[in-house]
Amino acid sequence: MARTVVHAQSFERPSPSSSRSTHPASFEPIVFLPGLLCDQSLWRHQVGALADDVAPMIADLTLDDNIGDMARRTLAAAPARFSLVGLSMGGYVALDIMRRAPHRVRRLALFNSSARADTPERIAQRHAGIESLQRGKFLGVTRRLLNSLVHPSHVEGTVADEMRAMAQRVGGDAFLRQQQAIMSRPDSTGLLSTIAVPTMIVVGDGDRITPPAHAEEIHDRVVGSVLHIIRDCGHMAALEHPGETTTLLREWLATEAD
């Protein structure tokens, strides 16, 4: 099956008349997985825009300190079968769900994520951050962190404000658990060739955390997958380009799935 690369540029948010079904035959169960220091607000735009067509669930990934337990908790709460969307850390959990229960997933969408394990250098950086937090005060999303997370055009304004607000709601204790989970996650590159559901990979052209090369690696190994690269976007596509993210999800949900 052919693989396609699409460079998203100027998608407009669909109008209500074109995007909403007046009488949907059924609601598509869809599970959203947030990223590090993110809560339900990460997917607020997408859930609202797709509400007439989907039955959404947003998993709580703040309670566990390893990716496997995050996946198991999500599976325990999820419907029997569902489409699965994960961003960043949520993508790591999504891949673990594919490892544990591929028969339950109808479609897979990975935003700003990677199948690789953390490098020793990145693990050392995370340990340093954890030790600093344990000695002091949780600062949430700082300006320095924002510079790594989002495109320069979003370092100030509503995206930055939402990032800071989510981080404060998640809090320092959950941040420590999430960091432990991320740096101990397994390498999932060997899993990719076994994925047999319609798969969409999305990355920002300016993503510094999980750069386009990581998305391309997933795309190359998942047969039939589609890769979208969003222009002027960093690591937080769902917040930085909510309209484009929703449009891509709508197209993905329209693909045939078992």
Side-chain angles (χ1 to χ4, degrees):
M1 188 180 296
R3 299 184 176 114
T4 305
V5 179
V6 177
H7 291 267
Q9 297 184 40
S10 57
F11 289 106
E12 295 181 357
R13 182 178 182 178
S15 65
S17 60
S18 66
S19 68
R20 294 177 180 263
S21 302
T22 305
H23 300 289
S26 62
F27 293 105
E28 173 72 21
I30 182 169
V31 174
F32 291 93
L33 303 172
L36 175 70
L37 285 178
C38 296
D39 61 13
Q40 294 185 350
S41 294
L42 174 69
W43 299 111
R44 180 172 54 201
H45 181 283
Q46 291 72 42
V47 168
L50 298 170
D52 282 357
D53 300 308
V54 305
M57 168 189 152
I58 304 176
D60 185 350
L61 303 184
T62 67
L63 302 174
D64 301 296
D65 63 2
N66 69 83
I67 295 297
D69 282 350
M70 291 177 180
R72 283 189 286 269
R73 190 184 297 274
T74 300
L75 285 166
R81 299 204 71 208
F82 51 89
S83 294
L84 183 60
V85 185
L87 183 145
S88 189
M89 181 186 71
Y92 310 151
V93 177
L95 289 173
D96 202 79
I97 287 172
M98 293 304 299
R99 180 182 291 110
R100 295 171 187 277
H103 58 284
R104 292 182 58 183
V105 180
R106 301 187 71 231
R107 302 176 185 84
L108 176 65
L110 301 172
F111 285 79
N112 306 103
S113 199
S114 174
R116 304 178 189 180
D118 257 1
T119 64
E121 293 78 15
R122 190 71 184 99
I123 290 173
Q125 291 171 359
R126 293 190 195 279
H127 275 302
I130 289 171
E131 291 169 3
S132 176
L133 174 55
Q134 290 171 336
R135 292 193 304 266
K137 179 182 177 182
F138 176 61
L139 298 177
V141 175
T142 62
R143 176 61 181 256
R144 179 180 178 183
L145 181 55
L146 269 175
N147 287 334
S148 297
L149 286 174
V150 300
H151 187 270
S153 60
H154 297 128
V155 171
E156 301 287 349
T158 57
V159 171
D161 291 343
E162 187 58 47
M163 289 292 300
R164 293 189 184 99
M166 285 195 297
Q168 290 303 317
R169 291 193 296 268
V170 169
D173 290 343
F175 173 68
L176 292 176
R177 289 191 290 271
Q178 291 178 335
Q179 285 283 46
Q180 181 62 45
I182 290 171
M183 67 183 178
S184 63
R185 73 185 185 274
D187 186 284
S188 295
T189 53
L191 171 75
L192 299 175
S193 62
T194 71
I195 295 175
V197 296
T199 300
M200 176 175 70
I201 305 107
V202 182
V203 66
D205 63 354
D207 191 334
R208 297 171 58 187
I209 305 295
T210 53
H214 290 214
E216 290 163 3
E217 179 178 56
I218 299 172
H219 173 53
D220 287 342
R221 297 188 182 207
V222 179
V223 175
S225 64
V226 178
L227 172 65
H228 298 269
I229 302 175
I230 300 180
R231 298 187 188 279
D232 301 324
C233 182
H235 188 61
M236 305 299 298
L239 286 180
E240 295 182 72
H241 292 276
E244 293 180 30
T245 297
T246 299
T247 297
L248 292 174
L249 285 173
R250 194 179 299 282
E251 294 173 354
W252 168 74
L253 286 166
T255 60
E256 292 294 328
D258 293 336

